[in-house]
Amino acid sequence: MTIGIAMNEQPKDEGVVLTEAQKRARRSRSIAIALSLAALVILFYVMTLVKGPMVLVRPL
Amino acid sequence: MSLVSEGADFRGPMTAGPGLVEPMLAEPSLASVGDYVALMKPRVMSLVVFTALVGLAVAPGSLHPMIGFTALLCIAVGAGAAGALNMWYDADIDAIMTRTARRPVPMGRVQPGEALAFGLTLAGFAIVVLGLLVNVLAAALLAFTIFFYVVIYTIWLKRSTPQNIVIGGAAGAFPPMIGWAAATGSLSLEPVLLFMIIFFWTPPHFWALALTRTEDYARAGIPMLPVVSGDGATRRQILWHTLILVPLGIAPWALGFAGLFYGLTAAVTGAIMLALAWQVFRERRPVERASKHLFAFSILYLFLLFAVLLIERGWGGLIARLAA
């Protein structure tokens, strides 16, 4: 028991703790990636509508 | 929260350009979206998109506007990818040169490995999407252009020969060909002519800039022509290349690809280019006014040629395509 208590009392390793500026930068990057992916999905959807059955035909 | 789960990594020598080879444990990134936009060289990208638009618009046949938009988007992203990969590799010399020292990688806002990953990801997406949604020839040309700019120009020629921007200039000349290929699925003499105009425009444009920044290039160890062969040889080469450029600029009208308005524009602006190149040839240091004038006018010259071509040939075609 004594050993267990001693282990519990050791400070927790919190690893990398982001600063507020780093959190803000990461959030803005995440939003940009999400918007880019959404734009890519919309692009493929619209282009499939535009090309119709020809969507799989890719001439040289 | 651990290093692994947060995506931090060890960035070793393989992920950095020649001047950034210290292995280090990366700090969590402070890079903003704006830094990543800067990596894509937006000003270069705008010129690439404009010349590609002209290639796309003057091409014969019909093209759905959405396919044209997709092609331009992919070309823009591909150009951005090439810019990011250039900044990854050139971070060491960018840090030395005044003009480039504030770029995101030398400033430490973006790690070299992040710039490399960003560039490779964008390049992959641009090429694959162009191939899937437009056509394979355009995608292959875009892939070759990125390869040429990054590997042939940035990694090989830029640090090894004073002819770096002559040969490397081909990378900047490909976009109208990609635009044409996106519209038609083929190539012909007209896009090759547009390629030649940009190809021969590039050396006078960049050498005029290099004449005013010789010390900067010398300090970074880049063998630009003024550094290696001196001012006199550079001024001669500017004149020779302008003498080839001006007839090439008029050629679309002479060969019947463009109308009289284009021919007149090309002749008048070409005469001004020649006059400025002659002034540069006659000018001696420390006066550099003629070089600055030539550099500034060369941008207007290329813009006017392509804008008039777009108005004459492309605008009517675009309207017809939209109406169809």
Side-chain angles (χ1 to χ4, degrees):
Chain A
M1 282 304 284
T2 311
I3 293 170
I5 291 167
M7 286 179 71
N8 286 339
E9 286 171 351
Q10 283 179 349
K12 288 180 182 174
D13 178 12
E14 295 190 0
V16 175
V17 179
L18 300 182
T19 64
E20 282 306 310
Q22 286 166 338
K23 282 180 184 170
R24 275 198 304 275
R26 184 176 65 174
R27 180 175 161 74
S28 67
R29 292 196 304 268
S30 301
I31 291 171
I33 292 169
L35 289 175
S36 304
L37 287 174
L40 196 62
V41 170
I42 293 167
L43 181 68
F44 269 81
Y45 178 71
V46 172
M47 284 296 286
T48 306
L49 293 180
V50 165
K51 295 189 108 176
M54 296 292 287
V55 73
L56 292 176
V57 179
R58 290 184 290 276
L60 275 176
Chain B
M1 194 184 292
S2 74
L3 285 175
V4 175
S5 66
E6 286 305 307
D9 60 352
F10 282 94
R11 293 181 172 85
M14 294 307 289
T15 60
L20 293 155
V21 291
E22 288 298 319
M24 57 181 281
L25 182 63
E27 284 288 311
S29 180
L30 260 174
S32 66
V33 174
D35 290 324
Y36 281 94
V37 171
L39 276 183
M40 297 170 76
K41 298 190 178 180
R43 276 190 298 183
V44 176
M45 197 198 280
S46 63
L47 190 63
V48 165
V49 169
F50 176 62
T51 56
L53 169 68
V54 175
L56 192 90
V58 302
S62 63
L63 181 75
H64 193 286
M66 195 59 207
I67 298 176
F69 168 77
T70 304
L72 288 178
L73 183 69
C74 291
I75 293 167
V77 174
L85 292 170
N86 169 274
M87 285 201 203
W88 156 70
Y89 191 81
D90 275 350
D92 57 335
I93 53 179
D94 281 351
I96 298 169
M97 293 181 64
T98 314
R99 185 173 65 91
T100 53
R102 297 193 63 78
R103 285 177 173 176
V105 181
M107 286 291 284
R109 291 197 303 272
V110 175
Q111 296 297 317
E114 290 171 334
L116 173 65
F118 183 61
L120 289 176
T121 306
L122 287 188
F125 267 98
I127 294 163
V128 169
V129 172
L130 190 61
L132 286 174
L133 297 183
V134 183
N135 67 54
V136 177
L137 176 63
L141 279 172
L142 180 63
F144 181 71
T145 304
I146 296 170
F147 168 81
F148 197 93
Y149 184 70
V150 177
V151 178
I152 305 294
Y153 170 67
T154 303
I155 296 177
W156 179 25
L157 296 173
K158 186 172 179 179
R159 298 169 192 242
S160 61
T161 168
Q163 296 300 308
N164 47 17
I165 53 137
V166 179
I167 307 165
F174 275 115
M177 289 179 77
I178 304 173
W180 183 285
T184 64
S186 64
L187 290 172
S188 66
L189 181 61
E190 287 167 272
V192 173
L193 200 51
L194 297 181
F195 170 93
M196 296 294 281
I197 290 171
I198 302 178
F199 184 77
F200 279 96
W201 168 86
T202 306
H205 171 73
F206 275 105
W207 282 334
L209 174 71
L211 278 174
T212 66
R213 298 177 190 269
T214 308
E215 290 82 9
D216 224 14
Y217 282 113
R219 201 167 59 246
I222 304 172
M224 290 296 282
L225 193 61
V227 177
V228 175
S229 305
D231 273 16
T234 307
R235 291 169 197 276
R236 266 198 309 279
Q237 288 295 322
I238 286 175
L239 187 59
W240 278 118
H241 279 80
T242 309
L243 281 167
I244 300 170
L245 169 66
V246 172
L248 275 171
I250 299 170
W253 168 74
L255 294 173
F257 300 151
L260 187 61
F261 182 44
Y262 174 88
L264 285 172
T265 306
V268 172
T269 54
I272 298 171
M273 274 293 286
L274 262 180
L276 290 173
W278 179 254
Q279 282 179 11
V280 170
F281 177 66
R282 297 290 304 273
E283 190 180 52
R284 291 293 174 263
R285 274 180 178 256
V287 184
E288 291 165 344
R289 207 165 44 196
S291 302
K292 287 177 180 168
H293 285 168
L294 178 63
F295 174 74
F297 185 78
S298 64
I299 299 169
L300 182 65
Y301 172 74
L302 192 69
F303 173 76
L304 280 176
L305 288 193
F306 277 73
V308 172
L309 204 57
L310 181 66
I311 293 164
E312 262 194 4
R313 287 277 314 273
W315 199 241
L318 274 180
I319 290 170
R321 283 168 195 170
L322 285 169

